[in-house]
Amino acid sequence: MKLKPKCEACGLDNAFADPANGTAFFVNCFTFILVAVVVSAWIEIAMSPSLWVHLFVSLPIVLMVCVLPLRPLKGWLVNSQFFYKTRRGKIVSDDVAPETATPVADKG
């Protein structure tokens, strides 16, 4: 899932965006672990099925929950990088006063 160099609708240059593996991290941390534990454990405790039932029921559910949110989450990460004007290792904020101002000497 690579970003296109420019937005087809508005022409925005996507060179600023660096979502890297953030989407996979969020999906693995939140959806995969919760769904894998909840769905697989519930099926195992409630029904005690054989292994092939887990392969045909749990595996497709886990794959759907992991693959489907990747694209929207990547879009959300790129959008938040654009909104907050992030660059590699920096967050540019209008709320913070720059520290480059030189102190004014007293004329006393």
Side-chain angles (χ1 to χ4, degrees):
M1 290 185 12
K2 291 190 175 195
L3 289 175
K4 293 186 177 183
K6 288 191 174 205
C7 176
E8 294 174 357
C10 67
L12 175 69
D13 185 19
N14 287 330
F16 70 90
D18 184 29
N21 294 327
T23 54
F25 172 77
F26 286 123
V27 168
N28 281 330
C29 282
F30 299 110
T31 58
F32 175 73
I33 292 171
L34 291 174
V35 170
V37 169
V38 171
V39 170
S40 299
W42 179 78
I43 289 174
E44 183 62 36
I45 292 170
M47 299 176 226
S48 297
S50 61
L51 183 60
W52 66 270
V53 174
H54 280 291
L55 288 175
F56 288 114
V57 175
S58 300
L59 187 63
I61 291 172
V62 168
L63 288 176
M64 282 190 331
V65 170
C66 289
V67 172
L68 292 178
L70 285 177
R71 197 171 194 104
L73 276 175
K74 189 164 201 147
W76 171 74
L77 284 174
V78 171
N79 183 28
S80 64
Q81 288 177 354
F82 176 75
F83 181 79
Y84 290 109
K85 299 176 185 139
T86 59
R87 300 295 180 256
R88 288 191 172 197
K90 296 181 182 178
I91 295 179
V92 178
S93 177
D94 296 334
D95 299 336
V96 179
E99 296 180 19
T100 59
T102 57
V104 178
D106 287 332
K107 293 183 181 181

